PDB file of all heavy atoms in Angstrom:
ATOM      1  N   ASP B1003      -0.361 -38.180  -9.715  1.00 95.00           N
ATOM      2  CA  ASP B1003       0.801 -37.874 -10.343  1.00 95.00           C
ATOM      3  C   ASP B1003       1.632 -36.725  -9.670  1.00 95.00           C
ATOM      4  O   ASP B1003       1.678 -35.586 -10.105  1.00 95.00           O
ATOM      5  CB  ASP B1003       0.479 -37.466 -11.847  1.00 95.00           C
ATOM      6  CG  ASP B1003       1.667 -37.501 -12.650  1.00 95.00           C
ATOM      7  OD1 ASP B1003       2.897 -37.717 -12.062  1.00 95.00           O
ATOM      8  OD2 ASP B1003       1.566 -37.432 -13.893  1.00 95.00           O
ATOM      9  N   PRO B1004       2.228 -37.181  -8.481  1.00 95.00           N
ATOM     10  CA  PRO B1004       2.807 -36.154  -7.646  1.00 95.00           C
ATOM     11  C   PRO B1004       3.985 -35.307  -8.239  1.00 95.00           C
ATOM     12  O   PRO B1004       4.318 -34.235  -7.795  1.00 95.00           O
ATOM     13  CB  PRO B1004       3.346 -36.980  -6.579  1.00 95.00           C
ATOM     14  CG  PRO B1004       2.696 -38.351  -6.591  1.00 95.00           C
ATOM     15  CD  PRO B1004       2.376 -38.590  -8.015  1.00 95.00           C
ATOM     16  N   GLY B1005       4.478 -35.703  -9.402  1.00 94.00           N
ATOM     17  CA  GLY B1005       5.588 -35.121 -10.069  1.00 94.00           C
ATOM     18  C   GLY B1005       5.082 -33.972 -10.988  1.00 94.00           C
ATOM     19  O   GLY B1005       5.888 -33.130 -11.438  1.00 94.00           O
ATOM     20  N   ARG B1006       3.741 -33.844 -11.199  1.00 96.00           N
ATOM     21  CA  ARG B1006       3.186 -32.947 -12.127  1.00 96.00           C
ATOM     22  C   ARG B1006       2.167 -31.933 -11.516  1.00 96.00           C
ATOM     23  O   ARG B1006       1.844 -31.077 -12.252  1.00 96.00           O
ATOM     24  CB  ARG B1006       2.515 -33.832 -13.276  1.00 96.00           C
ATOM     25  CG  ARG B1006       2.225 -32.972 -14.487  1.00 96.00           C
ATOM     26  CD  ARG B1006       1.795 -33.890 -15.660  1.00 96.00           C
ATOM     27  NE  ARG B1006       2.791 -34.864 -16.015  1.00 96.00           N
ATOM     28  CZ  ARG B1006       3.804 -34.482 -16.939  1.00 96.00           C
ATOM     29  NH1 ARG B1006       3.817 -33.296 -17.511  1.00 96.00           N
ATOM     30  NH2 ARG B1006       4.707 -35.355 -17.263  1.00 96.00           N
ATOM     31  N   VAL B1007       1.798 -32.190 -10.331  1.00 98.00           N
ATOM     32  CA  VAL B1007       0.745 -31.508  -9.813  1.00 98.00           C
ATOM     33  C   VAL B1007       1.327 -30.525  -8.598  1.00 98.00           C
ATOM     34  O   VAL B1007       2.022 -31.143  -7.800  1.00 98.00           O
ATOM     35  CB  VAL B1007      -0.373 -32.351  -9.258  1.00 98.00           C
ATOM     36  CG1 VAL B1007      -1.466 -31.528  -8.571  1.00 98.00           C
ATOM     37  CG2 VAL B1007      -1.008 -33.118 -10.414  1.00 98.00           C
ATOM     38  N   VAL B1008       0.986 -29.364  -8.637  1.00 98.00           N
ATOM     39  CA  VAL B1008       1.213 -28.345  -7.530  1.00 98.00           C
ATOM     40  C   VAL B1008      -0.128 -28.378  -6.740  1.00 98.00           C
ATOM     41  O   VAL B1008      -1.186 -28.056  -7.268  1.00 98.00           O
ATOM     42  CB  VAL B1008       1.478 -26.938  -7.989  1.00 98.00           C
ATOM     43  CG1 VAL B1008       1.576 -25.959  -6.864  1.00 98.00           C
ATOM     44  CG2 VAL B1008       2.894 -26.959  -8.701  1.00 98.00           C
ATOM     45  N   TYR B1009      -0.036 -28.761  -5.445  1.00 98.00           N
ATOM     46  CA  TYR B1009      -1.238 -28.931  -4.626  1.00 98.00           C
ATOM     47  C   TYR B1009      -1.283 -27.745  -3.742  1.00 98.00           C
ATOM     48  O   TYR B1009      -0.349 -27.459  -2.966  1.00 98.00           O
ATOM     49  CB  TYR B1009      -1.194 -30.263  -3.924  1.00 98.00           C
ATOM     50  CG  TYR B1009      -2.340 -30.400  -2.887  1.00 98.00           C
ATOM     51  CD1 TYR B1009      -3.420 -31.125  -3.266  1.00 98.00           C
ATOM     52  CD2 TYR B1009      -2.157 -30.070  -1.654  1.00 98.00           C
ATOM     53  CE1 TYR B1009      -4.534 -31.312  -2.428  1.00 98.00           C
ATOM     54  CE2 TYR B1009      -3.213 -30.208  -0.726  1.00 98.00           C
ATOM     55  CZ  TYR B1009      -4.385 -30.916  -1.091  1.00 98.00           C
ATOM     56  OH  TYR B1009      -5.338 -31.121  -0.141  1.00 98.00           O
ATOM     57  N   LEU B1010      -2.393 -27.027  -3.719  1.00 98.00           N
ATOM     58  CA  LEU B1010      -2.666 -25.815  -2.724  1.00 98.00           C
ATOM     59  C   LEU B1010      -3.717 -26.153  -1.747  1.00 98.00           C
ATOM     60  O   LEU B1010      -4.810 -26.620  -2.035  1.00 98.00           O
ATOM     61  CB  LEU B1010      -3.048 -24.658  -3.581  1.00 98.00           C
ATOM     62  CG  LEU B1010      -2.163 -24.304  -4.669  1.00 98.00           C
ATOM     63  CD1 LEU B1010      -2.629 -22.942  -5.448  1.00 98.00           C
ATOM     64  CD2 LEU B1010      -0.674 -23.992  -4.249  1.00 98.00           C
ATOM     65  N   GLY B1011      -3.448 -25.826  -0.502  1.00 97.00           N
ATOM     66  CA  GLY B1011      -4.347 -25.997   0.571  1.00 97.00           C
ATOM     67  C   GLY B1011      -4.326 -24.777   1.512  1.00 97.00           C
ATOM     68  O   GLY B1011      -3.346 -24.002   1.397  1.00 97.00           O
ATOM     69  N   THR B1012      -5.290 -24.619   2.343  1.00 96.00           N
ATOM     70  CA  THR B1012      -5.325 -23.395   3.161  1.00 96.00           C
ATOM     71  C   THR B1012      -5.985 -23.678   4.565  1.00 96.00           C
ATOM     72  O   THR B1012      -6.782 -24.585   4.560  1.00 96.00           O
ATOM     73  CB  THR B1012      -6.047 -22.192   2.467  1.00 96.00           C
ATOM     74  OG1 THR B1012      -6.027 -21.158   3.260  1.00 96.00           O
ATOM     75  CG2 THR B1012      -7.512 -22.619   2.193  1.00 96.00           C
ATOM     76  N   PHE B1013      -5.516 -23.004   5.490  1.00 96.00           N
ATOM     77  CA  PHE B1013      -6.098 -23.012   6.807  1.00 96.00           C
ATOM     78  C   PHE B1013      -7.160 -21.845   7.007  1.00 96.00           C
ATOM     79  O   PHE B1013      -7.684 -21.740   7.985  1.00 96.00           O
ATOM     80  CB  PHE B1013      -5.037 -22.992   7.986  1.00 96.00           C
ATOM     81  CG  PHE B1013      -4.277 -24.254   7.910  1.00 96.00           C
ATOM     82  CD1 PHE B1013      -2.928 -24.192   7.418  1.00 96.00           C
ATOM     83  CD2 PHE B1013      -4.670 -25.430   8.365  1.00 96.00           C
ATOM     84  CE1 PHE B1013      -2.085 -25.283   7.342  1.00 96.00           C
ATOM     85  CE2 PHE B1013      -3.861 -26.659   8.285  1.00 96.00           C
ATOM     86  CZ  PHE B1013      -2.557 -26.424   7.795  1.00 96.00           C
ATOM     87  N   SER B1014      -7.236 -21.066   5.895  1.00 93.00           N
ATOM     88  CA  SER B1014      -8.161 -19.972   6.106  1.00 93.00           C
ATOM     89  C   SER B1014      -9.650 -20.423   6.239  1.00 93.00           C
ATOM     90  O   SER B1014     -10.465 -19.825   6.875  1.00 93.00           O
ATOM     91  CB  SER B1014      -8.159 -19.060   4.825  1.00 93.00           C
ATOM     92  OG  SER B1014      -6.919 -18.456   4.638  1.00 93.00           O
ATOM     93  N   LYS B1015      -9.955 -21.580   5.605  1.00 91.00           N
ATOM     94  CA  LYS B1015     -11.337 -22.061   5.588  1.00 91.00           C
ATOM     95  C   LYS B1015     -11.591 -22.858   6.824  1.00 91.00           C
ATOM     96  O   LYS B1015     -12.495 -22.525   7.567  1.00 91.00           O
ATOM     97  CB  LYS B1015     -11.636 -22.974   4.446  1.00 91.00           C
ATOM     98  CG  LYS B1015     -11.332 -22.262   3.082  1.00 91.00           C
ATOM     99  CD  LYS B1015     -12.367 -21.191   2.707  1.00 91.00           C
ATOM    100  CE  LYS B1015     -12.006 -20.372   1.516  1.00 91.00           C
ATOM    101  NZ  LYS B1015     -12.802 -19.298   1.354  1.00 91.00           N
ATOM    102  N   ILE B1016     -10.713 -23.781   7.150  1.00 92.00           N
ATOM    103  CA  ILE B1016     -11.065 -24.677   8.365  1.00 92.00           C
ATOM    104  C   ILE B1016     -10.666 -24.078   9.680  1.00 92.00           C
ATOM    105  O   ILE B1016     -11.214 -24.354  10.719  1.00 92.00           O
ATOM    106  CB  ILE B1016     -10.371 -26.040   8.200  1.00 92.00           C
ATOM    107  CG1 ILE B1016      -8.897 -26.041   7.940  1.00 92.00           C
ATOM    108  CG2 ILE B1016     -11.203 -26.840   7.143  1.00 92.00           C
ATOM    109  CD1 ILE B1016      -8.259 -27.274   7.957  1.00 92.00           C
ATOM    110  N   LEU B1017      -9.737 -23.083   9.677  1.00 95.00           N
ATOM    111  CA  LEU B1017      -9.439 -22.404  10.893  1.00 95.00           C
ATOM    112  C   LEU B1017     -10.016 -20.928  10.842  1.00 95.00           C
ATOM    113  O   LEU B1017     -11.093 -20.846  11.128  1.00 95.00           O
ATOM    114  CB  LEU B1017      -7.959 -22.403  11.283  1.00 95.00           C
ATOM    115  CG  LEU B1017      -7.473 -23.633  11.884  1.00 95.00           C
ATOM    116  CD1 LEU B1017      -5.953 -23.704  12.023  1.00 95.00           C
ATOM    117  CD2 LEU B1017      -8.027 -23.810  13.303  1.00 95.00           C
ATOM    118  N   PHE B1018      -9.196 -19.951  10.328  1.00 95.00           N
ATOM    119  CA  PHE B1018      -9.816 -18.608  10.145  1.00 95.00           C
ATOM    120  C   PHE B1018      -8.917 -17.795   9.165  1.00 95.00           C
ATOM    121  O   PHE B1018      -7.775 -18.004   9.215  1.00 95.00           O
ATOM    122  CB  PHE B1018      -9.988 -17.907  11.501  1.00 95.00           C
ATOM    123  CG  PHE B1018      -8.730 -17.780  12.372  1.00 95.00           C
ATOM    124  CD1 PHE B1018      -7.950 -16.720  12.340  1.00 95.00           C
ATOM    125  CD2 PHE B1018      -8.324 -18.837  13.143  1.00 95.00           C
ATOM    126  CE1 PHE B1018      -6.862 -16.626  13.151  1.00 95.00           C
ATOM    127  CE2 PHE B1018      -7.218 -18.769  13.921  1.00 95.00           C
ATOM    128  CZ  PHE B1018      -6.493 -17.617  13.940  1.00 95.00           C
ATOM    129  N   PRO B1019      -9.614 -17.071   8.379  1.00 96.00           N
ATOM    130  CA  PRO B1019      -8.737 -16.324   7.356  1.00 96.00           C
ATOM    131  C   PRO B1019      -7.821 -15.342   7.877  1.00 96.00           C
ATOM    132  O   PRO B1019      -6.737 -15.143   7.233  1.00 96.00           O
ATOM    133  CB  PRO B1019      -9.864 -15.522   6.609  1.00 96.00           C
ATOM    134  CG  PRO B1019     -11.164 -16.312   6.783  1.00 96.00           C
ATOM    135  CD  PRO B1019     -11.014 -16.808   8.279  1.00 96.00           C
ATOM    136  N   SER B1020      -7.933 -14.681   8.969  1.00 96.00           N
ATOM    137  CA  SER B1020      -7.017 -13.622   9.509  1.00 96.00           C
ATOM    138  C   SER B1020      -5.691 -14.336   9.931  1.00 96.00           C
ATOM    139  O   SER B1020      -4.778 -13.606  10.137  1.00 96.00           O
ATOM    140  CB  SER B1020      -7.679 -12.749  10.546  1.00 96.00           C
ATOM    141  OG  SER B1020      -7.751 -13.558  11.738  1.00 96.00           O
ATOM    142  N   LEU B1021      -5.662 -15.618  10.020  1.00 97.00           N
ATOM    143  CA  LEU B1021      -4.421 -16.330  10.292  1.00 97.00           C
ATOM    144  C   LEU B1021      -3.376 -16.206   9.145  1.00 97.00           C
ATOM    145  O   LEU B1021      -2.131 -16.148   9.402  1.00 97.00           O
ATOM    146  CB  LEU B1021      -4.728 -17.775  10.640  1.00 97.00           C
ATOM    147  CG  LEU B1021      -3.534 -18.746  10.927  1.00 97.00           C
ATOM    148  CD1 LEU B1021      -2.722 -18.317  12.187  1.00 97.00           C
ATOM    149  CD2 LEU B1021      -4.046 -20.130  10.960  1.00 97.00           C
ATOM    150  N   ARG B1022      -3.852 -16.247   7.911  1.00 97.00           N
ATOM    151  CA  ARG B1022      -3.044 -16.140   6.762  1.00 97.00           C
ATOM    152  C   ARG B1022      -2.033 -17.248   6.655  1.00 97.00           C
ATOM    153  O   ARG B1022      -0.762 -17.042   6.637  1.00 97.00           O
ATOM    154  CB  ARG B1022      -2.285 -14.765   6.594  1.00 97.00           C
ATOM    155  CG  ARG B1022      -3.206 -13.469   6.728  1.00 97.00           C
ATOM    156  CD  ARG B1022      -4.377 -13.421   5.766  1.00 97.00           C
ATOM    157  NE  ARG B1022      -4.139 -13.822   4.403  1.00 97.00           N
ATOM    158  CZ  ARG B1022      -4.940 -14.615   3.703  1.00 97.00           C
ATOM    159  NH1 ARG B1022      -5.893 -15.266   4.396  1.00 97.00           N
ATOM    160  NH2 ARG B1022      -4.716 -14.748   2.527  1.00 97.00           N
ATOM    161  N   LEU B1023      -2.455 -18.496   6.849  1.00 98.00           N
ATOM    162  CA  LEU B1023      -1.510 -19.645   6.556  1.00 98.00           C
ATOM    163  C   LEU B1023      -2.115 -20.661   5.792  1.00 98.00           C
ATOM    164  O   LEU B1023      -3.316 -20.978   5.979  1.00 98.00           O
ATOM    165  CB  LEU B1023      -1.057 -20.247   7.998  1.00 98.00           C
ATOM    166  CG  LEU B1023       0.026 -19.478   8.833  1.00 98.00           C
ATOM    167  CD1 LEU B1023       0.220 -20.104  10.130  1.00 98.00           C
ATOM    168  CD2 LEU B1023       1.269 -19.411   7.995  1.00 98.00           C
TER     169      LEU B1023
END
Side-chain angles (χ1 to χ4, degrees):
Chain B
D1003 198 346
R1006 192 172 295 277
V1007 178
V1008 171
Y1009 175 90
L1010 305 179
T1012 182
F1013 295 103
S1014 296
K1015 302 291 175 194
I1016 52 171
L1017 278 171
F1018 54 96
S1020 72
L1021 176 62
R1022 310 307 312 130
L1023 281 175

